[in-house]
Amino acid sequence: MYAERASRLSGAVVWTDTPSGPGPGRVLPDGCMDLLWYDGRLLVAGPDTRAHVTEGGAGAWAGVRFCPGTAPALLGVPADALRDRRVELTDLWPTARARRLAARVNAAADPATGLDEAALARAAEAGPPDPLLARVVAALDAGRPVAATADALGIGARRLHRRSLAAFGYGPKTLARVLRLQRALALARNGMPLAETAARTGYADQAHLTREVRELAGAAPGELLRGG
């Protein structure tokens, strides 16, 4: 069973997941990075460009999902170094430091609470996030074209691309596609017909929406809406 709640860290989400049965699961790209807990260990999930299929093993998971662009400053690693990857925190940090954080999380009342506290502590050490990144996400999530976004921010397309790679793990065009996917699925899950969903979220038509969902999520929209 999956459950989530707002983190005490602004913009982040704390979640828990205990698979209800055997079989793989599907994690859709959302522009985010996660700090994960599993079996007493800490891992980092990088930004996905396509659906990540889990192995479906037994055991509880917990995580804190950072809003797009914020995790690299907290974890000390550029997002594009972790694109489409899941790695142990000990592969990114000195072993002793990673183990201290794991011990802190494991000593908490529950792993989700420990991760939330760890995220707050890292944010306090790292300082406030770069406000430019939030403006990039807001513009692209609103459907603004990449070139117009770069012009509005006054940074130029090339610089926007470089900043996006480090912050989000991929360029602004891919980020825009991922954010549009999430907007479309949210509308469809609330009962909006796919043709109207496509029109509302900037796809050429329903067929275009279906192709994008298949490419990014690895399944047809109907399959995802049924929980497949």
Side-chain angles (χ1 to χ4, degrees):
M1 178 180 293
Y2 177 84
E4 65 178 41
R5 58 179 171 81
S7 169
R8 292 160 62 196
L9 176 62
S10 178
V13 171
V14 178
W15 57 267
T16 57
D17 188 22
T18 303
S20 57
R26 191 190 309 271
V27 180
L28 302 186
D30 56 9
C32 301
M33 293 174 60
D34 294 54
L35 179 62
L36 311 173
W37 175 95
Y38 179 72
D39 194 26
R41 298 151 41 219
L42 295 182
L43 306 93
V44 176
D48 293 321
T49 59
R50 58 188 180 276
H52 173 75
V53 179
T54 65
E55 296 179 359
W61 287 78
V64 57
R65 181 179 308 117
F66 302 102
C67 59
T70 59
L74 303 182
L75 299 175
V77 60
D80 55 332
L82 297 176
R83 184 172 52 237
D84 294 320
R85 298 177 62 199
R86 271 70 176 156
V87 301
E88 299 271 357
L89 187 60
T90 51
D91 292 337
L92 305 177
W93 288 9
T95 300
R97 183 185 178 200
R99 286 178 175 172
R100 283 196 301 270
L101 186 60
R104 177 176 178 175
V105 172
N106 288 324
D110 58 79
T113 298
L115 288 170
D116 200 13
E117 293 172 349
L120 278 174
R122 285 297 306 133
E125 295 170 1
D130 183 350
L132 176 71
L133 301 178
R135 293 172 63 193
V136 171
V137 173
L140 297 178
D141 198 29
R144 173 169 274 185
V146 171
T149 298
D151 289 344
L153 296 177
I155 62 174
R158 290 185 178 180
R159 187 178 172 200
L160 175 60
H161 187 80
R162 290 194 301 269
R163 294 287 296 274
S164 295
L165 287 177
F168 309 118
Y170 27 66
K173 289 184 179 179
T174 298
L175 177 62
R177 291 178 66 203
V178 167
L179 295 175
R180 183 169 63 173
L181 169 74
Q182 290 292 333
R183 293 198 308 275
L185 290 176
L187 291 176
R189 284 169 177 150
N190 283 330
M192 183 176 289
L194 290 178
E196 184 177 354
T197 293
R200 289 279 190 95
T201 50
Y203 294 97
D205 50 29
Q206 183 175 335
H208 182 205
L209 166 63
T210 297
R211 290 195 302 272
E212 281 285 282
V213 171
R214 283 188 179 276
E215 184 170 344
L216 293 172
E223 183 180 353
L224 292 178
L225 297 176
R226 290 192 299 270

